[in-house]
Amino acid sequence: MQLSHKSFRNIGLIGRPDKSSVVETLSLIHDHLMSLGLHPVFDAETAELVPYKNTQTVSRALLGEVVDLVIVVGGDGSLLHAARSLVKYNTPVMGVNRGRLGFLTDIKPTEVIYKLDRVLQGEFQQDRRFLLEMEVRSKGETIHDAIALNDVVLHSGKSVHMIDFELNIDGQYVYRQHSDGLIVSTPTGSTAYALSGGGPIVHPSMDAISLVPMHPHTLSSRPIVVGGHSEIKILIRENRVLPMVSADGQHSVSLNVGDSLHIRKHPFKLNLLHPPGYDFYMACRTKLGWNRDFDSLQQQD
């Protein structure tokens, strides 16, 4: 779908709580939108942070239904949380970084008004990111489900014991593994937890899912990259501890022996907007410190 900037009239605002710098940036954006004759709408949680009494507020679950664009101020975690609420509405989302890395919230606070104006004028790159959906099934019934923009992680909780599970992809047996767990990651999540687990960096445009073992008991267990439409099934074997699963670091759910975890691509995609000049490889160089030693040597020369 080709977006038109002329449709950006009602602008949703979401911010990370408990951070004064977020409130400053939200207020700056709010006042600028008002000066342009546009209509800012806060989600209910964010409205409690800002000093405005007569502004429209909507619950986060319904925000995507009433606005044309959402601006998230915070870190990547804030955008992950917002994405899960907004994705079903196909609402465009842009992120202002008030966190740490900022792969998703890629606009600097010092440039927010300039970059926002360019987006409102129709100058932006549209970036469609797929999510994963997971189901926990017990005795044939779904007992828990969730969606994730970054990853679904099977782990051993606070225990130091390895867990035992069986992996199947598209109905084919892959292996039985003893490890600390398994990270099932989208390309978006390849620069998050999966990266620290030794997984590959996958360009966001790739239609692929990465499976990254966490401290496997066999040295030959390596990350696997499969097609984005793959159906992944993980069967829980007998363990000394109860394995757990979480989506995007949300509340973990315990799994019992015989339970199965089913993971596949979610039917809706996140509609992420970047101002002109966005470059994934530049983001990697900046956020991951590529060229840092080389650049410092050049400066010394």
Side-chain angles (χ1 to χ4, degrees):
M1 182 187 73
Q2 186 64 38
L3 285 177
S4 169
H5 66 287
K6 295 180 181 178
S7 65
F8 297 157
R9 304 296 302 171
N10 300 305
I11 315 294
L13 298 177
I14 295 176
R16 172 184 169 184
D18 304 325
K19 200 167 186 183
S20 59
S21 60
V22 169
V23 176
E24 294 171 9
T25 301
L26 284 169
S27 299
L28 181 66
I29 295 171
H30 173 275
D31 294 347
H32 185 67
L33 292 174
M34 293 292 289
S35 72
L36 296 175
L38 300 178
H39 184 206
V41 181
F42 287 102
D43 88 296
E45 295 175 33
T46 305
E48 297 178 2
L49 308 175
V50 294
Y52 302 103
K53 297 186 181 296
N54 298 319
T55 189
Q56 183 177 352
T57 63
V58 178
S59 69
R60 184 165 300 186
L62 297 177
L63 185 65
E65 188 174 354
V66 301
V67 301
D68 312 307
L69 170 69
V70 172
I71 302 171
V72 178
V73 181
D76 284 352
S78 300
L79 199 143
L80 288 174
H81 191 278
R84 293 189 293 268
S85 300
L86 298 170
V87 64
K88 64 182 177 181
Y89 298 109
N90 196 36
T91 309
V93 181
M94 56 184 287
V96 180
N97 186 23
R98 277 295 189 178
R100 290 180 294 174
L101 282 179
F103 271 97
L104 297 171
T105 50
D106 57 317
I107 300 174
K108 297 178 182 178
T110 54
E111 301 177 339
V112 62
I113 297 303
Y114 171 69
K115 293 291 180 76
L116 174 58
D117 281 345
R118 296 194 70 179
V119 170
L120 294 175
Q121 291 162 13
E123 300 177 50
F124 54 80
Q125 299 176 42
Q126 195 170 356
D127 185 3
R128 305 277 287 173
R129 303 287 184 95
F130 77 81
L131 290 80
L132 297 174
E133 61 181 17
M134 74 163 190
E135 292 181 357
V136 177
R137 297 180 189 171
S138 182
K139 299 178 181 178
E141 295 185 1
T142 299
I143 59 173
H144 178 75
D145 60 74
I147 61 175
L149 178 59
N150 267 354
D151 47 46
V152 174
V153 180
L154 175 71
H155 60 96
S156 57
K158 297 179 180 179
S159 171
V160 294
H161 296 292
M162 288 187 172
I163 56 178
D164 182 2
F165 60 91
E166 179 183 301
L167 174 66
N168 293 268
I169 300 174
D170 292 329
Q172 295 184 307
Y173 174 72
V174 180
Y175 54 54
R176 180 174 174 178
Q177 185 176 102
H178 283 83
S179 68
D180 285 352
L182 185 71
I183 304 169
V184 182
S185 169
T186 66
T188 299
S190 72
T191 53
Y193 194 19
L195 181 63
S196 66
I201 293 177
V202 182
H203 193 276
S205 65
M206 294 293 291
D207 187 17
I209 299 171
S210 301
L211 297 94
V212 182
M214 299 165 61
H215 302 98
H217 197 249
T218 54
L219 295 177
S220 59
S221 292
R222 308 302 302 160
I224 301 174
V225 179
V226 299
H229 291 281
S230 297
E231 298 273 344
I232 298 163
K233 177 183 175 182
I234 300 170
L235 178 64
I236 305 303
R237 311 295 297 229
E238 184 142 1
N239 288 278
R240 295 175 64 182
V241 297
L242 287 179
M244 307 188 81
V245 64
S246 65
D248 280 349
Q250 300 175 77
H251 176 68
S252 293
V253 175
S254 297
L255 303 173
N256 294 303
V257 177
D259 288 353
S260 58
L261 176 61
H262 299 257
I263 304 169
R264 67 185 69 84
K265 182 187 287 186
H266 187 58
F268 301 106
K269 290 186 177 183
L270 176 66
N271 195 358
L272 193 62
L273 297 191
H274 304 287
Y278 172 76
D279 180 339
F280 174 73
Y281 300 112
M282 181 178 69
C284 288
R285 289 195 302 273
T286 303
K287 311 299 181 183
L288 302 179
W290 294 356
N291 286 5
R292 183 173 294 161
D293 294 337
F294 181 74
D295 291 342
S296 63
L297 285 174
Q298 280 191 320
Q299 291 173 4
Q300 291 174 14
D301 293 342

